[in-house]
Each structure stands twice: as C-alpha cells, then as structure tokens.
Amino acid sequence: MAATIQQAKRASANRRVGLIGLAMALAMLGMGFAAVPLYRIFCQVTGYGGTTQRVDAAQAAGVQSVARTMSIRFDANVERGMPWEFRPLQRTDTVTIGERDMALFYAHNTSDKIVTGTASFNVEPEQAARYFNKIQCFCFTEQTLQPDEAVKMPVLYYVDPAILDDEDNKDVEQITLSYTFHVSSVRDPADQVAKGLDHDQAGG
C-alpha cells in the first residue's frame, strides 16, 4: 500500500515537472516569435543598425528647417542573381536640414520574367539613422516589374534638425542612404495570362 502511494506521488511529481517544462518551452517559443517585431520596433525608435524613421506627411509638415545643410549620398545594390539594374539617378545631394527633399532611383527588369522585389535599407553612419526620416519610399512595399520594364522610384525624406543637438553626430557631414533589392518572387508572363483567362472564364 505504501509503495503504491509512493509511486502515485512520484507520478504526480513527474507530471508537474513535465507540465512546467512544457510551459517554459511554449513561453520560449512565444518569445522567439515576439523577438523579431520587438527588435524591429527597437531599431525604429533608436536607429540601431542604421534603421531610418518613418513619418507621415502631417508630422513632416510640423518640422521647421534650419539654415544648415548636409550632404546625402545614395547607394543601390541588388542581391546576387536578381535580374534588375538598380541605381540612384543622383549619387549625392546637398539638402537643407529639416526641409523635405526627393531622391529618385532607377530600376530596370532585364529579364523576360515578372520579378517582384523587396528593398532593405540602412543609413551610415548608424548614429545618424534616427534623424533620417522617410515620408514616402518604394521600400515600404513590394515592387513588381514586368519583363524589360523600367521605372523611377521616389524617396521623400528629410533630416531632423535635432541631429544638430546630438553630440554623437556633431561631426557628421554626410549621410549615406543605401538600398539592396531582394527577390520576392519570379513568375512567367504566360502564367499570369493563364490566370487572367481562368478568372475571366469563371466570371463569365
């Protein structure tokens, strides 16, 4: 009888340990999924890793420009194997701090496929990223180019005047905005035509 009670106690303890272990594993899994968006928010707030800020037109309208200028350099790249030509139309620009400015990038799909890409970006020096504000940017959404299609992609931005009061940025004379396009999908034009015909037939 005593042995049976002891076995029941051990089984109960083992179940409790197992449940605690399972709960810890699930918690760690949840933290893993949460880590990516939390890290992204951290980067956006602090500018860590060269992450720029995103603002709306109303926020931008409330910024007062100052009588100081800064050089902005533009850099463009594509990942290995992506069949796009991608470059800035102007390599450098001198802007008034706090004043909105626009940069244009040229993208050309040199393949016979429909290619969708996503642009990653960063700013150098990293400590200046938190003061580089984008109002509109092709990097906010995926971009799809048809075979041999060429487009101009705008970036509307400004440099926050608060950068002038930051000791870490007092010696910054030029900010580099760099983009790299990555392939999201590649499709054959014939597939798109076939899907269009199927849709028309279904609608008819």
Side-chain angles (χ1 to χ4, degrees), residues 155-170:
V155 181
L156 185 61
Y157 69 95
Y158 68 90
V159 178
D160 192 330
I163 194 173
L164 300 174
D165 300 321
D166 189 337
E167 281 295 313
D168 292 334
N169 286 282
K170 64 181 181 180

Side-chain angles (χ1 to χ4, degrees), residues 42-92:
F42 171 75
C43 289
Q44 289 174 346
V45 171
T46 63
Y48 181 78
T51 303
T52 60
Q53 308 301 297
R54 181 175 178 176
V55 298
D56 58 31
Q59 289 173 294
V63 177
Q64 297 294 319
S65 61
V66 297
R68 291 279 298 275
T69 61
M70 183 168 291
S71 173
I72 309 297
R73 177 179 172 271
F74 304 103
D75 179 54
N77 309 276
V78 295
E79 71 174 349
R80 185 185 299 274
M82 185 173 192
W84 279 17
E85 177 190 356
F86 177 52
R87 56 182 168 80
L89 290 182
Q90 186 175 351
R91 286 289 175 184
T92 60

Side-chain angles (χ1 to χ4, degrees), residues 102-174:
M102 180 180 287
L104 290 174
F105 287 74
Y106 172 86
H108 176 210
N109 178 5
T110 60
S111 75
D112 59 355
K113 307 294 184 183
I114 301 170
V115 180
T116 298
T118 303
S120 62
F121 56 86
N122 73 297
V123 162
E124 291 289 343
E126 288 188 4
Q127 71 270 17
R130 64 185 302 175
Y131 301 106
F132 196 98
N133 297 273
K134 294 179 184 176
I135 305 164
Q136 296 177 10
C137 182
F138 57 83
C139 60
F140 293 163
T141 58
E142 288 186 332
Q143 302 295 323
T144 299
L145 295 185
Q146 299 296 317
D148 199 37
E149 182 181 8
V151 296
K152 292 178 182 178
M153 299 179 174
V155 181
L156 185 61
Y157 69 95
Y158 68 90
V159 178
D160 192 330
I163 194 173
L164 300 174
D165 300 321
D166 189 337
E167 281 295 313
D168 292 334
N169 286 282
K170 64 181 181 180
D171 297 323
V172 174
E173 297 180 352
Q174 184 178 76

